[in-house]
Amino acid sequence: MKKGEVALLTIAPEYAFGSSESKQELAVVPPNSTVYYEVELVSFVKEKESWDLNTQEKIEAAGKKKEEGNVLFKAGKYVRASKRYEKAVKYIDYDTSFSEEEKKQSKVLKVACNLNDAACKLKLKDYKQAEKLCTKVLELESANVKALYRRAQAYINLADLDLAELDIKKALELDPDNREVKLEYKALKEKIKEHNKKEAKFYGNMFAKMNKMDSGDSSKSAAKEPEPMSIDSKA
């Protein structure tokens, strides 16, 4: 919308007041109602682009986006929350011009935003992206238990059970009393056990078929008698 523009917004019941009656200031909205709002854009403040900000402003902008992302995550709006975390990281991605203190602040924000974004991706079942985000965190903090735990969750859903086990074991070495990691490891061991059973059954059936084929070929060879040699009477 442009400044001064008027728009009619149509909001379906599931995004408005749902199946319950709602008493508003100007009207009572019946259950399962489609709601219409006439909206005029009176004014707006355009955010500065990253390159227009000085280093401290970039850190402040990143912090603000992170907080917005946290509010959206708690509300279960994972797609929008993920976008806020990504925006926050963009503000501080290139920190070569930052002072040492600003670099420390930037690192803390990068770790928090990428971890939270990974949590969003897990909720959205985007496991490959969740794994990449956790790896970014571990490049900054190799002993980050949350990153190891969330990357293990991503690996499990990607069926990379060996890699998941490595991360879980490392997380437990760092934090042996972490209840969530312990529970995940217990579930992982069950998955590995089930996977090994399926693999053993698959190879067992394959070898049984191969043995059956081999024994069948041997029986055919044994049953086939050699043909008598012909004699040339003219010799």
Side-chain angles (χ1 to χ4, degrees), residues 100-119:
E100 288 305 310
E101 182 57 34
E102 287 170 340
K103 283 180 180 178
K104 286 178 186 176
Q105 293 174 331
S106 169
K107 181 183 173 182
V108 170
L109 280 168
K110 281 180 191 175
V111 167
C113 289
N114 282 327
L115 268 179
N116 293 351
D117 197 5

Side-chain angles (χ1 to χ4, degrees), residues 54-82:
N54 61 40
T55 54
Q56 194 54 45
E57 285 174 334
K58 286 179 182 179
I59 290 168
E60 287 170 6
K64 184 181 175 184
K65 290 295 173 190
K66 178 179 83 76
E67 292 308 317
E68 289 174 6
N70 291 349
V71 171
L72 290 165
F73 185 90
K74 286 173 185 174
K77 297 173 181 178
Y78 304 120
V79 173
R80 290 174 64 193
S82 176

Side-chain angles (χ1 to χ4, degrees), residues 2 10 25 50 64 80 92 106 148 171 181 193 198 206 214 217 223:
K2 294 178 181 178
T10 304
E25 191 178 338
S50 179
K64 184 181 175 184
R80 290 174 64 193
I92 51 176
S106 169
L148 289 164
V181 179
K193 189 177 176 182
K198 285 180 181 177
M206 187 174 72
D214 288 343
D217 290 342

Side-chain angles (χ1 to χ4, degrees), residues 142-157:
S142 60
N144 190 297
V145 173
K146 277 188 180 179
L148 289 164
Y149 168 63
R150 287 178 188 167
R151 190 168 71 172
Q153 288 180 305
Y155 281 142
I156 289 168
N157 285 285

Side-chain angles (χ1 to χ4, degrees), residues 196-217:
N196 290 341
K197 274 186 186 177
K198 285 180 181 177
E199 212 167 50
K201 187 178 178 182
F202 170 77
Y203 285 114
N205 290 340
M206 187 174 72
F207 288 131
K209 285 178 184 177
M210 288 171 68
N211 288 334
K212 192 175 179 182
M213 288 170 66
D214 288 343
S215 61
D217 290 342

Side-chain angles (χ1 to χ4, degrees), residues 212-226:
K212 192 175 179 182
M213 288 170 66
D214 288 343
S215 61
D217 290 342
S218 300
S219 299
K220 285 179 185 177
S221 300
K224 189 176 180 183
E225 294 180 4

Side-chain angles (χ1 to χ4, degrees), residues 35-50:
V35 180
Y36 300 92
Y37 283 100
E38 188 178 90
V39 179
E40 181 183 357
L41 181 59
V42 178
S43 65
F44 65 93
V45 177
K46 188 177 179 182
E47 285 187 342
K48 287 183 178 180
E49 295 294 344
S50 179

